[in-house]
Amino acid sequence: MARQRVLTGITTTGTPHLGNYVGAIRPAIEASRDSSLDSFFFLADYHALIKCQDPELVRQSSKEIAATWLALGLDTDKALFYRQSDIPEIPELTWVLCCNAAKGLMNRAHAYKAAVQANEEAGEDPDFGITMGLFNYPVLMAADILMFNASHVPVGRDQIQHLEMARDIAQRFNHNFAGVFTLPEAVVDDNVAVLQGLDGRKMSKSYNNTIPLFQSEKQLRKSINRIKTNLLEPGEPKDPEDSTVFQVWAAFASPAETERMRREFENGIAWGEAKKQLFELVNAELAAARERYTQLMDDPAHIEAVLRKGAGRAREYSVPLMEKVRAAVGIGALR
Ligand code: TRP
């Protein structure tokens, strides 16, 4: 059997938070240590342009996200780690795929449909403020995936439709031309925690309820103290299932430590004490990585060198694949 090729992209917008860490980064780095598979991780900076037109923010976010993955111990000799925009074959393939993707299929993309619907509800023209970037987003994503013949793509639920579109585009292309592409599969892990934020809703930048991953120790303590709790007094039993403090605890603690905390809740641990223990637990897991993160952020040349090296390795795949695609569709040197 062919080796599993696992690939995933990280859109470079925003600063990584504990929810990103628990839900995506930590499991991805763990999985990349499995030597029975090949891992490809990349900064999806062309995707970032769809949401963000502020060059400083795009740059800053690329730097923060690259530093985060490196600080958390991604082994870049093993996993391929690169920046989408360093692979010129990706936008090239995007165009070829655009010429093979049904517009009707793209009309059904959730993100585009939601934008149209919001316009209609606001009484605007349906396409108000909608760029071709947003509309073509799933084709660019298909190019990211098909370029490297990825077999498995770990994503959140919201991305499943994009994987179906990538398969659909690949199938159509394979049918029209010599079969070039592997059909990728979405991998959605229901076991990884979806972390709650400060207000108890899903931790998300759009709810403004996040705990940044690498803020200072002092800030981390402050953030944890801001997690919303109820008014139960010390000594009164507390329901762990109903508590963000407990939920975050469970995402960082061993099963035995989680059971201990469950009993502490039932025995009426004070909120202040529970938060103090939570801070210590989270801080212990992150402290060394935070140190490395700070060093990396002060040494962008090092990050850049790692990314360039990754791009060099990635292009060993993308250059020949693009040659194959060009030949398949009839573009290139005359013979
Ligand atoms: N669209 C993905 C997200 O927002 C990021 C992404 C871009 C991606 N290209 C990809 C994920 C290719 C997996 C594979 O989460």
Side-chain angles (χ1 to χ4, degrees):
M1 215 183 73
R3 284 167 71 80
Q4 272 194 22
R5 192 171 285 177
V6 180
L7 174 145
T8 200
I10 313 111
T11 306
T12 52
T13 45
T15 297
H17 54 70
L18 289 191
N20 302 136
Y21 171 67
V22 164
I25 308 173
R26 187 174 63 185
I29 292 180
E30 266 167 28
S32 75
R33 300 207 167 105
D34 178 347
S35 52
S36 73
L37 43 85
D38 296 320
S39 299
F40 291 63
F41 299 118
F42 68 96
L43 306 175
D45 53 347
Y46 278 136
H47 275 100
L49 297 187
I50 296 166
K51 288 188 229 165
C52 180
Q53 276 84 40
D54 177 336
E56 263 328 300
L57 276 183
V58 173
R59 245 191 296 279
Q60 178 66 15
S61 181
S62 292
K63 187 173 146 190
E64 287 178 357
I65 292 174
T68 297
W69 284 68
L70 297 177
L72 289 168
L74 178 70
D75 179 351
T76 55
D77 286 327
K78 232 174 137 267
L80 243 78
F81 187 57
Y82 56 95
R83 177 167 52 196
Q84 185 184 36
S85 60
D86 283 337
I87 316 294
E89 292 75 29
I90 291 176
E92 246 179 286
L93 179 59
T94 301
W95 178 253
V96 176
L97 296 181
C98 271
C99 297
N100 287 276
K103 174 172 177 287
L105 182 70
M106 296 304 121
N107 288 341
R108 292 199 290 276
H110 299 315
Y112 169 69
K113 264 175 59 178
V116 170
Q117 200 188 339
N119 279 335
E120 281 167 349
E121 278 162 13
E124 296 282 358
D125 182 88
D127 280 328
F128 178 74
I130 298 180
T131 64
M132 285 306 293
L134 178 67
F135 190 69
N136 278 326
Y137 176 119
V139 188
L140 178 57
M141 183 159 158
D144 292 332
I145 297 168
L146 302 180
M147 176 63 80
F148 296 99
N149 280 317
S151 58
H152 294 80
V153 183
V155 282
R157 296 213 152 274
D158 60 319
Q159 299 290 319
I160 293 176
Q161 188 196 32
H162 294 146
L163 261 293
E164 282 163 4
M165 290 176 159
R167 287 172 69 90
D168 191 281
I169 295 170
Q171 256 161 339
R172 220 183 227 253
F173 190 95
N174 285 351
H175 176 79
N176 288 343
F177 307 97
V180 172
F181 296 124
T182 303
L183 298 188
E185 251 175 64
V187 182
V188 180
D189 187 344
D190 289 318
N191 294 320
V192 303
V194 174
L195 213 63
Q196 290 171 15
L198 296 175
D199 59 358
R201 291 186 291 173
K202 176 185 169 188
M203 190 179 288
S204 163
K205 196 176 65 137
S206 34
Y207 294 149
N208 201 13
N209 65 355
T210 67
I211 301 178
L213 183 55
F214 289 136
Q215 55 188 346
S216 70
E217 204 171 285
K218 206 169 138 202
Q219 282 298 329
L220 177 64
R221 191 191 296 275
K222 269 197 190 157
S223 291
I224 287 175
N225 281 331
R226 279 173 53 218
I227 296 176
K228 205 172 125 197
T229 55
N230 56 29
L231 296 172
L232 291 172
E233 298 285 341
E236 291 187 85
K238 301 178 175 64
D239 180 5
E241 296 315 319
D242 177 42
S243 160
T244 302
V245 174
F246 183 78
Q247 202 248 1
V248 178
W249 177 273
F252 283 84
S254 66
E257 276 293 290
T258 302
E259 273 323 296
R260 178 183 69 76
M261 188 53 87
R262 186 186 296 283
R263 283 194 303 278
E264 298 248 26
F265 266 62
E266 284 156 8
N267 294 335
I269 189 173
W271 285 122
E273 175 59 23
K275 286 178 169 180
K276 184 167 160 272
Q277 290 191 27
L278 177 61
F279 162 75
E280 275 152 18
L281 178 73
V282 173
N283 192 50
E285 180 161 332
L286 297 179
R290 180 198 296 127
E291 189 85 8
R292 286 193 295 273
Y293 177 80
T294 310
Q295 287 164 3
L296 284 159
M297 289 298 282
D298 286 338
D299 189 4
H302 175 74
I303 305 177
E304 190 58 34
V306 171
L307 290 174
R308 290 287 167 100
K309 194 166 158 224
R313 283 173 64 202
R315 291 195 73 205
E316 288 171 21
Y317 297 85
S318 63
V319 170
L321 186 117
M322 199 57 219
E323 266 166 29
K324 247 193 192 166
V325 168
R326 272 197 222 99
V329 299
I331 299 279
L334 299 176
R335 268 171 286 151

